Amino acid sequence: MAPPLVFITGASSGIGQALARRYLRAGWRAALLARRVDMVKAWLDADRISAESYEIYGADIRDLAQIAAAANACLERQGLPDVVLANAGISLGIAPGDAQDLAVLQRTLATNVTGLAATFQPFIGPMVARGSGRLVGIASVAGARGLPGHGAYCASKAAVISYCESVRSELRGSGVSVLTLCPGFVATPLTARNRYPMPFMLSAEAFAERAERAIAGHASYRVIPWQMAIVARLLPLLPNAVFDRLMAGRPRKRRDGE
């Protein structure tokens, strides 16, 4: 039998790259999707990964037709994945009073939410027919509460959490399971631009190690690291007045172009 197959979006850098590298080193086959195909090929070559163990699919996660084409190509060339990992995402600050930032909000939601749904969709029917499969959505602790300057990102990750929960409920009993992964702070190109303290930060490799264990288990929701799970539980419990005082003076997330 062929080794198991994982389909990963956003595989050019950061969390997606770390997860892809970990699965490939564990003997899995990989279907790797990214806009920057050359970057994916570069790190695969640097790691001396056998070309027989992976396929790279070039697509913009915001383009539904491109995502569908990549998924269909994966099904034809490599077969039905055992794990589909919707990881691609962007994080940009916005100013809610600036009309130009409405486009940033729209782009963030299209990437982080619609892109995730479009990644799952082509594989759900075949997985249900097979009676097995694992859908993994990368959300964030930032989805627990709205943070100043993070309106687009927080809204998108809150939507990811709710969407994955809805899909999980709908697929109950089908043999297809859904896991919502909520990273805390992970050292990636996205977080490198942040200008505020980032407690309990993990390397992308450390996150990937813990995420792989969660994916292999039976969890339906997991915050990594565990310290941030406490934060994610406490934040929604804070009264608005207390939360607002805690957020007062906090540096805003960098906007597009800053």
Side-chain angles (χ1 to χ4, degrees), residues 85-109:
L85 216 160
N87 161 76
I90 59 173
S91 177
L92 294 168
I94 64 169
D98 192 323
Q100 292 183 343
D101 279 359
L102 291 175
V104 177
L105 171 63
Q106 186 177 47
R107 178 154 50 107
T108 302
L109 294 174

Side-chain angles (χ1 to χ4, degrees), residues 32 66 99 119 164 167 169 211 219 224 226 249 254:
L32 306 175
Q66 289 185 23
T119 300
C164 287
V167 176
S169 298
I224 300 173
W226 65 266
R254 294 183 189 275

Side-chain angles (χ1 to χ4, degrees), residues 7-236:
F7 183 97
I8 302 176
T9 65
S12 59
S13 64
I15 288 174
Q17 181 193 80
L19 282 163
R21 179 180 282 125
R22 187 161 190 86
Y23 275 105
L24 284 163
R25 288 177 175 173
W28 284 54
R29 295 176 299 131
L32 306 175
L33 185 144
R35 285 187 302 112
R36 299 169 293 184
V37 170
D38 56 335
M39 290 184 63
V40 180
K41 192 66 170 66
W43 72 255
L44 286 166
D45 288 346
D47 280 15
R48 302 192 179 195
I49 303 293
S50 169
E52 295 180 356
S53 62
Y54 66 84
E55 291 277 355
I56 306 173
Y57 303 96
D60 185 331
I61 201 70
R62 294 174 294 168
D63 190 313
L64 302 186
Q66 289 185 23
I67 299 303
N72 289 331
C74 171
L75 291 169
E76 292 175 7
R77 297 178 195 172
Q78 297 174 279
L80 179 59
D82 300 273
V83 174
V84 172
L85 216 160
N87 161 76
I90 59 173
S91 177
L92 294 168
I94 64 169
D98 192 323
Q100 292 183 343
D101 279 359
L102 291 175
V104 177
L105 171 63
Q106 186 177 47
R107 178 154 50 107
T108 302
L109 294 174
T111 302
N112 296 0
V113 185
T114 308
L116 176 140
T119 300
F120 285 169
Q121 183 274 320
F123 300 111
I124 290 175
M127 281 184 167
V128 170
R130 184 179 62 188
S132 67
R134 186 82 153 137
L135 303 174
V136 182
I138 301 295
S140 171
V141 172
R145 192 132 193 189
L147 305 174
H150 291 63
Y153 187 69
C154 290
S156 72
K157 293 305 183 179
V160 166
I161 292 170
S162 294
Y163 185 80
C164 287
E165 186 170 46
S166 295
V167 176
R168 187 184 76 241
S169 298
E170 189 162 342
L171 295 178
R172 184 181 179 189
S174 69
V176 182
S177 62
V178 180
L179 168 62
T180 307
L181 277 180
C182 292
F185 293 111
V186 180
T188 69
L190 288 182
T191 56
R193 301 179 71 248
N194 291 344
R195 50 189 173 189
Y196 43 79
M198 293 178 282
F200 313 117
M201 177 173 275
L202 293 175
S203 66
E205 292 72 23
F207 173 82
E209 178 185 1
R210 301 179 195 193
E212 182 191 24
R213 291 201 300 268
I215 294 167
H218 300 288
S220 58
Y221 179 89
R222 182 67 55 84
V223 177
I224 300 173
W226 65 266
Q227 294 94 332
M228 293 303 289
I230 297 173
V231 174
R233 286 182 177 275
L234 290 178
L235 281 178

